């Protein structure tokens, strides 16, 4: 019995040590660095202060020990909640789900959480989802929103990163954009090379900088092309609305041979209108979209459209906000986009 008690006595401290949560001091000892270096690496503030090799050694030591920083204590010290608000126009398409996924991925890598908040009216004033947003948030990322739509949420205190917004407007601390103008240029070049000269622009009926860019760029591409003409019809961003708008535009004389749509949903509406009018795509009418949603390959023929990388868009938005919070300059270049040519475009009919 005495031997058993002695065995328990000997094993007791070992068990206690094994159950103790590892500390930053343990990580520093295992990695052979100072606690300050551990704090810099795990707080993602090591660049320019410690070497890549040292940072990797600290991360490996932390993983091996199962060490996780006490974020609650750190946040209390820094006066931060490590929570970001992502405001999107709506959750009606997968595009904004992709934006959220990308932003949340980068946020998670840096110990932040992302709260997703759709503006109640799609694009317009967004109500404050918190009793006091400035106390509950570290920053805001807003997609395709007017500046005054955010005043109730952020006041003039919270850092703001704008997505799909005019960089010259000076709204927010940083702006992240997709290269929408280049996407429209790719569409125009593709259709012109196919011999199209009579164009219809089915434009989203939304007052937003990104849609203004699409209209302006398309008009500029066609302005100096001999024999080219451009008509515009507006539509809400819905298949039913686009069917009605396109039906009215295609039923008149001097019918276009190509329809350039601001969105894949609008293109799907054009398909329905064309079918009702007895027009074949692409034999009688070429159609292009913009987004490359799952819808683009679900319709027949599959849609020629501009692919926008929604997840990369969200990632870049979150990285820009992290840079603002750390007082670093964010990336300045627009995100490249690509035209995906499928079966909805063909040479212009005679």
């Amino acid at each position: 019995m005495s031997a058993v008690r002695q065995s328990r006595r000997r094993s007791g401290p070992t068990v206690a040590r094994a159950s103790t949560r590892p500390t930053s001091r343990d990580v520093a000892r295992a990695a052979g660095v100072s606690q300050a270096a551990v704090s810099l690496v795990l707080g993602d503030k090591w660049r320019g202060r410690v070497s890549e090799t040292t940072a990797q050694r600290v991360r490996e030591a932390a993983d091996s020990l199962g060490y996780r920083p006490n974020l609650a204590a750190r946040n209390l010290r820094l006066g931060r909640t490590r929570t970001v608000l992502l405001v999107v126009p709506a959750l009606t398409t997968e595009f904004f789900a992709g934006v959220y996924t990308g932003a949340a991925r980068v946020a998670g890598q840096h110990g932040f959480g992302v709260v997703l908040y759709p503006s109640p009216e799609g694009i317009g004033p967004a109500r404050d989802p918190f009793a006091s947003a400035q106390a509950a948030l570290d920053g805001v990322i807003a997609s395709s929103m007017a500046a005054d739509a955010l005043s109730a949420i952020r006041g003039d205190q919270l850092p703001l990163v704008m997505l799909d917004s005019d960089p010259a407007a000076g709204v927010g601390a940083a702006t992240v954009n997709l290269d929408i103008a280049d996407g429209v240029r790719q569409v125009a070049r593709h259709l012109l090379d196919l011999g199209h000269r009579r164009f219809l622009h089915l434009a989203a009926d939304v007052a937003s900088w990104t849609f203004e860019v699409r209209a302006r760029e398309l008009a500029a591409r066609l302005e100096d092309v001999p024999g080219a003409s451009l008509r515009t019809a507006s539509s809400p961003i819905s298949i039913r609305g686009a069917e009605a708008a396109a039906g009215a535009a295609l039923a008149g004389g001097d019918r276009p041979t190509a329809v350039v749509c601001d969105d894949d949903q609008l293109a799907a509406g054009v398909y329905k209108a064309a079918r009702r009018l007895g027009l074949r795509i692409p034999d009688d009418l070429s159609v292009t979209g913009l987004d490359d949603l799952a819808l683009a390959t679900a319709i027949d023929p599959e849609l020629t459209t501009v692919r926008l990388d929604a997840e990369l868009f969200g990632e870049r938005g979150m990285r820009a906000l992290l840079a603002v919070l750390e007082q670093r300059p964010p990336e300045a270049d627009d995100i490249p986009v690509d035209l995906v040519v499928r079966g909805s475009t063909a040479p212009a009919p005679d």
Side-chain angles (χ1 to χ4, degrees):
M1 184 69 70
S2 175
V4 172
R5 280 198 298 271
Q6 288 176 0
S7 173
R8 286 176 179 168
R9 209 175 289 126
R10 282 195 300 270
S11 64
T14 302
V15 172
R17 279 196 299 270
S19 62
T20 301
R21 179 176 177 174
T23 66
S24 61
R25 183 176 299 172
D26 297 326
V27 176
R29 188 180 300 116
V33 300
S34 67
Q35 279 185 267
V38 171
S39 178
L40 287 172
V41 173
L42 299 184
D44 199 33
K45 296 182 179 179
W46 59 272
R47 293 171 182 82
R49 302 184 185 185
V50 301
S51 69
E52 173 68 49
T53 303
T54 299
Q56 183 61 29
R57 197 163 69 243
V58 169
R59 286 191 289 264
E60 289 173 354
D63 289 343
S64 176
L65 293 171
Y67 173 74
R68 295 292 180 271
N70 187 337
L71 293 180
R74 187 205 301 176
N75 295 346
L76 188 61
R77 272 197 319 273
L78 297 177
R80 287 184 178 178
T81 65
R82 301 188 80 80
T83 302
V84 171
L85 186 69
L86 174 62
V87 184
V88 298
L91 296 179
T92 53
T93 74
E94 72 215 49
F95 179 80
F96 293 108
V99 172
Y100 169 78
T101 299
R105 181 186 300 125
V106 172
Q109 293 168 355
H110 294 80
F112 278 75
V114 177
V115 177
L116 181 62
Y117 185 67
S119 171
E121 305 302 327
I123 290 183
R127 300 184 193 88
D128 185 350
F130 303 97
S132 177
Q134 292 180 29
L137 299 170
D138 284 334
V140 177
I141 304 171
S143 175
S144 305
M145 298 287 290
D148 57 359
L150 301 166
S151 57
I153 292 177
R154 64 179 288 270
D156 58 357
Q157 301 297 316
L158 288 174
L160 170 66
V161 169
M162 294 296 295
L163 308 182
D164 259 353
S165 183
D166 185 357
V171 177
T175 303
V176 177
N177 282 322
L178 296 150
D179 198 346
I180 294 295
D182 184 57
V184 174
R185 284 193 290 270
Q186 292 180 51
V187 167
R189 188 181 310 119
H190 171 65
L191 292 171
L192 288 169
D193 287 347
L194 289 172
H196 292 277
R197 293 297 182 268
R198 297 196 305 276
F199 290 79
L200 171 67
H201 178 204
L202 191 58
D205 186 14
V206 175
S208 173
W209 174 83
T210 184
F211 294 119
E212 292 172 3
V213 168
R214 299 169 206 210
R216 186 167 60 244
E217 192 63 32
L218 181 59
R221 292 307 101 195
L222 302 181
E223 185 177 20
D224 296 325
V225 176
S229 63
L230 174 64
R231 288 192 290 139
T232 300
S234 296
S235 168
I237 303 179
S238 71
I239 295 175
R240 179 174 296 181
E243 180 183 4
L250 294 173
D254 195 25
R255 191 177 64 236
T257 63
V259 183
V260 178
C261 301
D262 274 352
D263 179 273
D264 290 352
Q265 291 186 83
L266 300 186
V270 174
Y271 273 50
K272 297 188 73 172
R275 188 173 296 112
R276 183 161 45 82
L277 292 169
L279 300 175
R280 298 165 300 166
I281 297 173
D283 299 334
D284 302 314
L285 190 68
S286 286
V287 181
T288 65
L290 202 148
D291 272 345
D292 199 23
L293 306 176
L295 175 65
T297 54
I299 55 181
D300 186 31
E302 294 186 357
L303 181 66
T304 293
T305 187
V306 177
R307 177 176 293 155
L308 308 181
D309 192 332
E311 291 192 20
L312 178 58
F313 199 23
E315 288 181 6
R316 282 278 299 273
M318 187 64 211
R319 291 189 192 281
L321 183 56
L322 289 171
V324 170
L325 291 173
E326 295 172 6
Q327 299 183 335
R328 294 184 286 106
E331 291 182 67
D333 294 339
D334 289 348
I335 299 171
V337 302
D338 297 303
L339 178 67
V340 182
V341 178
R342 300 193 179 102
S344 68
T345 51
D350 293 337

